[in-house]
Amino acid sequence: AGLCGPSPSSSTPGAEQREKQYRAHRGFGDRRGGVISARTYFYADEAKCDQHMETFLRCIDASGGSSENGFSAIKLTALGRPQFLLQFSEVLVKWRRFFHQMAAEQGQAGRAALEMKLEAEKLQEALANLGIATKAESQHWFTGENLGRSGTVDLLDWNSLIDSRTKLSKLLLVPNMQTGQLEPLLSRFTEEEDLQMKRMLQRMDVLAKRATEKGVRLMVDAEQSYFQPAISRLTLEMQRRFNRDRAIIFNTYQCYLKEAYDNVTVDVELSRREGWHFGTKLVRGAYMEQERERAAQIGYEDPINPTYEKTNEMYHKCLDYILEEIKHSRKANVMVASHNEDTVKFTLRRMMELGIHPSEKKVCFGQLLGMCDQITFPLGQAGFPVYKYVPYGPVNEVLPYLSRRAQENRGFMQRANRERDLLWKEVKRRLLTGSLFGPNH
């Protein structure tokens, strides 16, 4: 349990039946190895998680005291045992995959996630034939307020069957299409695991309440893909509760993931149906080397887009979808967290085309402190909400992180020098012409 990640798989019940991607793996126990551009946390015990929560609370207070529309970032692996996130992620992925398998059997393979609609009657028959639930049992699953009223069940209806009202450790069965056997979605949690899960949710709750009090937006950082389904799901639960009047909780989507667009569209649609404010930070992604190495070593499909160009495409596609949603409802909010000038220019152009004014503060930008000032300052001067992401912590922990970012952003450093030279030339020109504080100062 001292590992920063799941304990070795030998201690996990039914470990061999687990999907490879969500299996605890000794070689990747310390998730910090090979991660050059993100902060990772080391799970020691629950007391350490409480310490992290206290640190996050102080950060929220500082952010609330220093600006009106501040942000504070948190990582869920700092607030609980990563093993739980791993197991819960596997449940969510298997549950979703089962939906796609049934959609394929109803002739809907290849459709976009949101366009797949299963006929409720056929779905109930399939569940009965597979021995998962009798018709009488599954009938009351689909009699919610809007669920199944149309006679069809889509992915959001399906996902709502595993929600906060379902005890997660309840035995859910799905068929393994390879073996034809019914398998429990989740091995029964021990009492201690149940408590660990509750404590993680309680800590999230404390942070969200403090952020609401202080008028600070809380950004839940993205992490490795094998934790991400659970992190996103827990963040959605917080958004449902805290984003009723404005976007307080922001989820993070990593656009280097092949499934980024599916995830964004499904979550935006959920916010539409339930009427809460959608908040998101879009990033390219920070765990590429480690993700690729783990997929290759353990033997599952690489979750990352094959090229940087494909990632760029995905980023712009997700961003465009959210900007359209802002135009349509004014209830979506996005932070464009990017050091890429083309992405910033793309955002500005689309905002203009869609009639989204910077003063609405529905779109903001983020760059790391000390990096990409040639992007940050012109945006701020032009009236756009723009934020500097400030890493904090003991010097020996923060300096390696910053030096790696500097290394990663060498190209940007050269651009910053170019920018500085241009600014210096302009200052000299104004001094010589006596117009240092001219109309365009």
Side-chain angles (χ1 to χ4, degrees), residues 38-222:
R39 181 77 196 265
T40 53
Y41 284 88
F42 191 91
Y43 178 80
D45 53 33
E46 293 294 304
K48 191 76 180 154
C49 294
D50 284 333
Q51 276 176 28
H52 289 149
M53 182 184 76
E54 291 301 327
T55 304
F56 288 151
L57 285 170
R58 287 201 301 277
C59 182
I60 291 167
D61 291 346
S63 186
S66 63
S67 65
E68 250 179 63
N69 292 299
F71 275 101
S72 190
I74 64 168
K75 274 204 156 81
L76 290 201
T77 49
L79 297 175
R81 191 162 178 242
Q83 176 76 7
F84 157 65
L85 293 171
L86 199 65
Q87 285 180 293
F88 187 28
S89 288
E90 183 182 27
V91 168
L92 295 167
V93 165
K94 276 188 172 174
W95 191 244
R96 190 166 174 160
R97 193 173 296 151
F98 182 34
F99 175 86
H100 284 298
Q101 284 166 341
M102 288 193 293
E105 285 185 11
Q106 288 192 18
Q108 299 191 36
R111 286 194 190 177
L114 276 176
E115 284 166 22
M116 291 182 176
K117 295 188 192 311
L118 306 182
E119 286 177 40
E121 282 286 312
K122 280 190 189 170
L123 176 57
Q124 288 173 325
E125 277 165 31
L127 291 170
N129 293 340
L130 290 163
I132 291 171
T134 64
K135 253 193 151 177
E137 284 171 327
S138 66
Q139 218 142 14
H140 82 266
W141 291 1
F142 302 109
T143 51
E145 212 174 306
N146 301 311
L147 203 52
R149 199 181 270 178
S150 56
T152 61
V153 174
D154 67 10
L155 184 59
L156 290 179
D157 298 329
W158 182 247
N159 282 345
S160 71
L161 297 178
I162 300 185
D163 67 8
S164 54
R165 290 183 294 280
T166 308
K167 193 160 183 295
L168 295 177
S169 53
K170 186 181 165 202
L171 210 63
L172 288 153
L173 297 169
V174 293
N176 177 330
M177 296 299 189
Q178 273 79 48
T179 63
Q181 299 294 305
L182 282 178
E183 288 178 359
L185 259 186
L186 191 61
S187 314
R188 281 196 184 280
F189 272 12
T190 62
E191 220 168 306
E192 176 52 29
E193 282 170 328
D194 246 355
L195 282 171
Q196 281 175 349
M197 181 188 87
K198 284 190 185 109
R199 284 194 291 256
M200 179 183 266
L201 294 169
Q202 281 163 355
R203 290 180 190 114
M204 289 171 76
D205 201 58
V206 168
L207 293 171
K209 282 179 176 151
R210 178 74 66 91
T212 307
E213 268 168 45
K214 300 279 179 181
V216 171
R217 272 92 44 96
L218 206 56
M219 287 194 304
V220 180
D221 269 351

Side-chain angles (χ1 to χ4, degrees), residues 219 252-253 255 281-285 308 311-312 315-316 319 334-347 364-369 371-376 379 386-389 405 409 412 415:
M219 287 194 304
T252 305
Y253 296 87
C255 296
K281 177 173 78 160
L282 283 186
V283 299
R284 277 177 170 74
Y308 186 70
T311 293
N312 277 346
Y315 194 107
H316 290 182
L319 178 54
V334 62
M335 172 181 272
V336 179
S338 175
H339 290 165
N340 185 303
E341 284 182 22
D342 293 334
T343 294
V344 172
K345 285 173 184 162
F346 171 84
T347 313
C364 59
F365 296 85
Q367 283 91 39
L368 276 164
L369 181 68
M371 292 189 191
C372 281
D373 289 351
Q374 83 278 8
I375 291 178
T376 312
L379 280 172
V386 59
Y387 293 82
K388 281 302 201 187
Y389 196 97
R405 293 315 293 251
N409 286 288
F412 296 120
R415 237 174 281 172

Side-chain angles (χ1 to χ4, degrees), residues 225-244:
S225 63
Y226 35 99
F227 297 126
Q228 200 50 46
I231 290 169
S232 276
R233 186 56 192 250
L234 295 172
T235 307
L236 272 182
E237 291 300 333
M238 286 165 71
Q239 288 182 315
R240 286 171 133 158
R241 287 173 50 211
F242 293 96
N243 287 9
R244 288 271 150 220

